[in-house]
Amino acid sequence: MVIVTRIRREVLTLPAAELGPDNPLPPLRPLDEVHRVDARDLEGLPRDMARGLGYAPLRSLLPVRVRDGYGRNREPRSLDALVIENDRLRATVLPGLGGRVVSLFHLPTGREILYRNPVFQPADFALNGAWFSGGIEWNIGATGHTTLSCAPLHAARVPAPDGGQMLRLWEWERLRDLPFQVDLWLPDGSDFLYAGVRVRNPHEHPVPTYWWSNIAVPEEVRVLAPAEEAWHFGYERRLRRVPVPSHDGVDRTYPLNSPYPADYFYEVPDGRRRWIAALDADGHGLVQTSTDVLRGRKLFVWGNGTGGRRWQQWLTEPGTGGYCEIQAGLARTQLEHVRLDAESEVSWLEAYGPLAAPPAGEWSQAVRQAEGQLESALPRARVEEAYAAWRPYADTEPGEALATGSGWGALEVLRTGWKLPGTPFAESTLGEAQEPWRELLRTGSLPAPPRAEPPGETLVARHWRDLLETAPATAHAEYHLGIAQWHAGDRAQAVRSWERALPLAPSRWPLLRALAVADEDDGHHERAADRYADAFADLCREDGDDGDRTAVRAALGRETLEALLRVRRAADARAVWERLPPAVRKRGRFRLLEAELLLAQGRRAEARAVFDAGFEVADLREGSRVLDQAWARLTGEPLPARYDFRMRPDSA
């Protein structure tokens, strides 16, 4: 057999917004996650689902930083891409953006079978902020879009089971401290892209894990899956069992038939082949199937309401087609986590390719015909055989390096000496962010950054907390120890660590800000506002009003303004506003804060003028009501369409 599969580098140029810097303030507040189930719905659930819903939900983003430095100014930019191609399919992968497969092009028919976003526009949908729509994304960590959505992964060539080449993507997932890999390859003459996935737990204790592969497809389709029931979950946070395809008299397998954004988690019977497909009116589209370990299947729809349509415009180029998502995961729903035992792993094989079958008509017949076409194109037994053939290759050491991810995996391997065949985390990948922690490992001391720099990232896992507790008690070490204690739930001890550090600290603002968060957590909002104001004043004294540390000035200024407005100290908030850099005051998030400040000062007409002039909050959070609530405080008029991002009924 002549192997014709190729892997090559390519540069993808498209209108793209800059990601900008990460937020330099550690995320001490509880996770802002909309995918939580209303307690009223927990009774009566299947026992395994109820266990998964209650098993180790993520409470904090630490040690990960929030990515909120992006805007909405799109210019032609170049993105490094890796292309895998045989004589049937061409897959384009962005290793610098979570390993996203942004295109899957079927060469014989000239069809793009994914939804390919014509722009790169980050939005606040990932657990830690920046995320973008389109293609196939690999979600690991916890309920929601992965913190690696816009982060680089390691990538390299490795041998494929058929003698050709695979593209291996791998990284260290920091929320759960788990290494994972995705091996992509195209067997010669195959219409299907194979993805071998493995998640490993090298720890001596069980770890909760999570995986969902999300596939964006054009929304003018019918979505088929082998199920008669689904679990419906919307932004009103209610989980309920509904019939498939129709409930409330409407066929919900057509994405545009739903009024609001919603999830439909299909109840695929045990023993049934795992697959999901999206087919257009002509019967053409994409199918995803897998080995049985990847149990769940889901449809996400934006719906036909004004809020869902506004989000569609927000995430792409106005005037282009919308999308929905078909998905596959380890559990029944994305609201669950699964146990990964100590020193064990979980792995499976997925396949993505074109499918032609009539989607319309009676549900069971349409499903049966699609499943028959899938069996003809890619028999279930062949998927199992491909998985068995891939498993020995999962440990193969990578060859030519094609992209470099973070140094966090290398730091953990350096600390533990773990051997992780197939996914090397070389010491050469350690960078500036990891250097203080390598020094802590080597000497037992945590070096402080230059006075003009923010204190850097904090590692919070138990072993790092233990090292911080035995390190010399400098102000810098006490600051980081307090964050690790806060993450562990020892809030009182965290406050004591920060208070001990205050008299010793050359820069007091990081400690004052941490103590302000603790005050808010305890309900002491006036004291929190005082500490925020002191922190911001300390930063400005240290930096000078002409300082160029825009990211930290913006992040701390925003939190300070919000804290002062919460206790109705408009004059103090105005003083903070005046010390923000002019470029920061022009951002949409701060234009919204300006309107709220003006309203607090009784300057209603000027606040209304801010809305009338128009602004865009680039980091508007998924499910957020800040825009429509601010508008309602200002006026009883209908909400303008440009500010309507509502994802659930007002009555919910």
Side-chain angles (χ1 to χ4, degrees):
M1 177 186 297
V2 177
I3 303 297
V4 297
T5 301
R6 298 174 295 280
I7 300 175
R8 68 175 189 274
R9 299 177 189 271
E10 194 171 274
V11 174
L12 189 63
T13 301
L14 72 167
E18 282 192 293
L19 270 173
D22 288 356
N23 189 314
L25 305 180
L28 299 177
R29 290 183 173 81
L31 190 68
D32 178 20
E33 177 50 48
V34 297
H35 302 101
R36 297 273 171 82
V37 179
D38 190 298
R40 292 172 291 176
D41 295 329
L42 295 179
E43 291 186 13
L45 294 178
R47 188 171 299 174
D48 62 333
M49 182 186 289
R51 278 198 305 268
L53 288 169
Y55 178 46
L58 195 66
R59 305 293 186 191
S60 167
L61 273 178
L62 288 167
V64 177
R65 287 288 175 92
V66 172
R67 310 202 73 173
D68 61 1
Y70 52 87
R72 293 188 56 80
N73 179 31
R74 296 194 288 265
E75 298 176 357
R77 304 183 198 276
S78 297
L79 303 175
D80 290 334
L82 299 170
V83 176
I84 318 169
E85 187 172 15
N86 65 4
D87 58 339
R88 309 289 296 176
L89 277 178
R90 180 169 65 238
T92 304
V93 180
L94 300 181
L97 294 169
R100 185 78 59 96
V101 181
V102 292
S103 171
L104 192 57
F105 191 79
H106 190 233
L107 297 166
T109 61
R111 290 179 181 270
E112 173 61 61
I113 60 174
L114 296 173
Y115 167 76
R116 181 170 185 170
N117 197 331
V119 304
F120 171 68
Q121 177 56 64
D124 193 359
F125 278 73
L127 286 166
N128 63 331
W131 170 88
F132 65 106
S133 64
I136 305 169
E137 56 176 309
W138 317 109
N139 286 293
I140 181 174
T143 298
H145 292 282
T146 177
T147 62
L148 296 167
S149 292
C150 291
L153 304 189
H154 301 283
R157 299 179 196 267
V158 291
D162 62 359
Q165 293 183 332
M166 292 190 295
L167 171 62
R168 175 163 297 161
L169 305 165
W170 74 99
E171 242 305 349
W172 193 274
E173 200 287 309
R174 301 179 67 203
L175 294 178
R176 304 297 198 184
D177 265 339
L178 298 177
F180 72 97
Q181 71 190 78
V182 179
D183 288 353
L184 300 172
W185 78 102
L186 289 165
D188 185 29
S190 174
D191 279 323
F192 286 84
L193 173 69
Y194 286 174
V197 184
R198 175 168 63 170
V199 181
R200 287 193 274 205
N201 175 14
H203 302 281
E204 295 178 346
H205 54 82
V207 176
T209 193
Y210 169 95
W211 185 281
W212 280 79
S213 301
N214 292 6
I215 310 115
V217 292
E219 67 182 348
E220 293 184 354
V221 293
R222 191 184 198 192
V223 173
L224 303 176
E228 302 294 329
E229 292 182 311
W231 294 91
H232 171 274
F233 184 76
Y235 285 82
E236 63 271 36
R237 302 188 181 188
R238 302 300 307 273
L239 182 67
R240 57 196 176 102
R241 194 193 299 257
V242 298
V244 174
S246 299
H247 70 94
D248 296 335
V250 178
D251 188 336
R252 307 291 177 164
T253 62
Y254 291 91
L256 287 171
N257 282 354
S258 292
Y260 290 96
D263 300 326
Y264 293 89
F265 299 102
Y266 293 113
E267 190 71 77
V268 180
D270 290 342
R272 192 77 182 265
R273 184 174 186 178
R274 308 282 157 170
W275 63 274
I276 190 168
L279 303 175
D280 64 20
D282 295 329
H284 295 284
L286 176 141
V287 65
Q288 186 271 359
T289 188
S290 70
T291 49
D292 289 352
V293 166
L294 205 63
R295 175 185 184 180
R297 291 300 184 275
K298 169 191 160 181
L299 164 64
F300 168 75
V301 300
W302 283 107
N304 57 33
T306 55
R309 306 327 297 167
R310 183 71 181 105
W311 274 114
Q312 290 267 32
Q313 298 165 5
W314 185 254
L315 296 170
T316 184
E317 193 69 46
T320 60
Y323 75 97
C324 63
E325 289 179 355
I326 57 175
Q327 306 181 12
L330 283 175
R332 263 195 180 106
T333 74
Q334 286 178 324
L335 312 171
E336 304 164 68
H337 299 99
V338 298
R339 175 187 169 110
L340 190 55
D341 288 332
E343 299 178 330
S344 70
E345 62 183 52
V346 60
S347 62
W348 62 91
L349 185 94
E350 303 181 47
Y352 299 83
L355 187 71
E362 196 270 329
W363 174 251
S364 60
Q365 181 180 1
V367 169
R368 188 165 52 250
Q369 289 179 304
E371 194 163 32
Q373 290 296 102
L374 172 60
E375 186 65 20
S376 296
L378 184 66
R380 186 179 188 179
R382 189 184 302 167
V383 175
E384 297 290 344
E385 291 164 2
Y387 171 70
W390 166 71
R391 282 297 289 117
Y393 287 81
D395 284 347
T396 303
E397 291 305 313
E400 178 193 358
L402 299 171
T404 303
S406 78
W408 296 113
L411 185 67
E412 291 301 322
V413 169
L414 185 65
R415 181 185 66 82
T416 60
W418 282 326
K419 305 298 181 186
L420 300 168
T423 55
F425 294 96
E427 197 168 343
S428 60
T429 62
L430 291 167
E432 183 179 351
Q434 293 83 40
E435 188 54 40
W437 302 95
R438 177 160 68 166
E439 187 69 9
L440 178 63
L441 274 178
R442 191 176 66 83
T443 68
S445 279
L446 186 70
R451 186 175 186 276
E453 296 298 321
E457 298 192 48
T458 304
L459 297 182
V460 296
R462 177 60 185 266
H463 40 267
W464 292 107
R465 192 168 78 249
D466 290 345
L467 284 170
L468 287 169
E469 286 175 346
T470 58
T474 64
H476 185 64
E478 292 281 356
Y479 166 78
H480 285 288
L481 174 59
I483 293 173
Q485 291 164 333
W486 182 267
H487 175 265
D490 193 350
R491 305 300 173 88
Q493 190 58 56
V495 168
R496 284 193 286 272
S497 295
W498 293 327
E499 288 177 338
R500 279 197 306 269
L502 260 179
L504 308 173
S507 293
R508 300 176 73 246
W509 66 263
L511 293 156
L512 289 167
R513 181 262 177 179
L515 289 166
V517 174
D519 284 334
E520 285 192 327
D521 192 63
D522 289 336
H524 301 308
H525 297 295
E526 281 286 356
R527 191 167 69 195
D530 287 338
R531 278 181 159 152
Y532 265 122
D534 289 345
F536 188 75
D538 184 68
L539 173 65
C540 292
R541 279 193 298 270
E542 179 181 298
D543 201 26
D545 281 330
D546 59 347
D548 61 356
R549 290 192 296 168
T550 302
V552 68
R553 184 80 69 98
L556 185 57
R558 172 182 167 180
E559 291 188 7
T560 304
L561 283 168
E562 291 170 344
L564 290 167
L565 288 173
R566 189 174 296 116
V567 294
R568 300 191 172 119
R569 287 164 53 177
D572 291 337
R574 173 59 63 182
V576 170
W577 172 265
E578 297 297 340
R579 300 191 77 172
L580 290 171
V584 170
R585 293 201 294 258
K586 292 178 182 177
R587 295 179 188 171
R589 171 65 63 179
F590 288 86
R591 294 284 286 158
L592 174 60
L593 278 170
E594 181 185 22
E596 293 177 337
L597 174 56
L598 289 166
L599 195 58
Q601 292 180 300
R603 298 156 65 180
R604 185 173 296 271
E606 292 171 81
R608 173 61 186 264
V610 172
F611 273 89
D612 290 344
F615 59 87
E616 293 183 315
V617 180
D619 62 332
L620 185 68
R621 183 66 173 164
E622 172 191 12
S624 172
R625 301 294 303 271
V626 294
L627 286 172
D628 59 283
Q629 288 172 352
W631 178 261
R633 289 194 296 272
L634 188 63
T635 175
E637 297 175 18
L639 181 67
R642 67 184 302 174
Y643 301 122
D644 190 352
F645 291 86
R646 290 172 291 187
M647 302 177 79
R648 60 185 175 91
D650 285 338
S651 59

